[in-house]
Every structure is written in structure tokens, then in C-alpha cells.
Amino acid sequence: MAAHAVATQQKQGLSNGMLGFILFLASEVMFFGGLFAAYFIARADAREWPPEYLLTPEQVAAGVKLEVEFWLPFIATILLVTSSVTIQLAVFAIQRGNRSGLIRWTFVSIVLGLVFLIMQMYDYSQLHFGVGDTIYGTTFYTLTGFHGLHVAGGIIFMGIILARSLAGQFTAANHEAVEACSFYWHFVDVVWLALFTTLYIIP
């Protein structure tokens, strides 16, 4: 029965709602593309990166250092990638008509997303530069801050999915919102992987 329901849903193709959601994700790709472009232009224009030479004597005296910690964001990255796996497991579960699996994996994904955000806030608290400390600080906090907002939005999205799951609103034949949520979360993960590579790995 579940397999028949899945086959029926696949035959129906993209609904208008899902098509609109995919277009929304496309607009988000362009949004982050613009932020990445601004970062790389600023980096290309700088004599060195991070641009320590732009720090004023007052900022140096105040202990401003344009340095980032690697391992904490690295661990947070692993957790975020893991959450992408768990939200996909939630999709697979409801495709088989397994509501308890949907609830379990969605809950795990929410927890992992929250831990990622907490780790990001803690990482912010340990940095020795602020958003106004050269173009480096501005681009760093803009990129990671907007991503963090998208993570928060994804957690709210998954929370709604979890609430609807507990209310029994999803079946093997009717779970388009779950798939849309997973698409959004995968997008957030991919953006973070690009951010982590750009900000923490590329010298």
C-alpha cells in the first residue's frame, strides 16, 4: 500500500507549491551568491588576508585579532552534515508510511540544528574581532550571521513539520511539506560547507 502511494505521488509530478518552493531556493542561492561575491571582491582588493594592516593602533591596543578558531566550527560542521542525513531519514521513513520514524528523525535533526546554533554563538563569543573591525569582520559576520538566521528558520520549519507529524497529518501519499523541509535543510548545509571552506580552510 505504501509503495503504491509513493508511486502515485511520483506520477503526480511537481505541485505548484513545490515548484514555488524550488524557485524560492533558487532566489536564496542568488542571495548567498551575492554575499560570497562581496567577500571575494573584498579579499581580492586587500593587500593581505586577513587585512591586519587595516587595524588601527586603538584596535590593536584593545586586543583585536583577525583570527578564527578551527576545531569548534569543524565539529559544528560535522553535526550540521549529520542533521542533513537525519532529515533525509525522516523523508525515507514517511515515504514508507513510518510516522514514528518521521517524528524520531525530525526531532533529532532539530536537536542537531540547535546544537549547531549554540556552538556558533559560543564561537562568536570567543572571537577577538567584531563586525566593525575591518572589512574582514564585516564580511565574516555578515556571511555567518545570515547563514545562522537561515539555520534558525530551518529549525522553525522542522518544528512545524514535527508538530504536524505528531498530529498525524503526513502519510506515505501526502508528505510534500516534509520533502520541502528536507530540501531547505540540505540547502542550508551546502551553504555552510561552502562558508566553512571559504572562511576556515582557504588560507
Side-chain angles (χ1 to χ4, degrees), residues 144-202:
T144 57
F146 272 113
H147 177 266
L149 288 176
H150 281 72
V151 171
I155 292 172
I156 294 172
F157 195 173
M158 289 190 291
I160 294 171
I161 293 298
L162 179 61
R164 292 185 61 187
S165 302
L166 291 169
Q169 295 183 5
F170 297 119
T171 65
N174 178 28
H175 57 270
E176 191 174 65
V178 180
E179 296 204 3
C181 183
S182 72
F183 290 164
Y184 180 84
W185 198 247
H186 293 324
F187 163 76
V188 168
D189 277 12
V190 170
V191 170
W192 176 254
L193 288 176
L195 277 176
F196 182 75
T197 302
T198 301
L199 300 175
Y200 297 93
I201 295 179
I202 296 176

Side-chain angles (χ1 to χ4, degrees), residues 20-31 187:
F21 189 77
I22 290 173
L23 291 175
F24 163 73
L25 288 183
S27 70
E28 290 288 284
V29 170
M30 290 187 284
F31 172 74
F187 163 76

Side-chain angles (χ1 to χ4, degrees), residues 1-9 92-98 171-173 175:
M1 177 65 88
H4 174 71
V6 172
T8 301
Q9 186 177 34
F92 290 156
I94 194 59
Q95 284 177 343
R96 297 191 300 270
N98 182 357
T171 65
H175 57 270

Side-chain angles (χ1 to χ4, degrees), residues 55-67 127-129 133:
L55 292 175
T56 64
E58 291 77 14
Q59 288 173 313
V60 174
V64 174
K65 295 179 182 178
L66 303 180
E67 299 173 350
L127 295 176
H128 297 288
F129 63 92
D133 292 323

Side-chain angles (χ1 to χ4, degrees), residues 2 5 18-19 23 34 45 69 84 113 118 128 130 147 163 171:
M18 182 60 84
L19 180 60
L23 291 175
D45 287 342
E69 163 68 25
S84 205
I118 292 170
H128 297 288
H147 177 266
T171 65

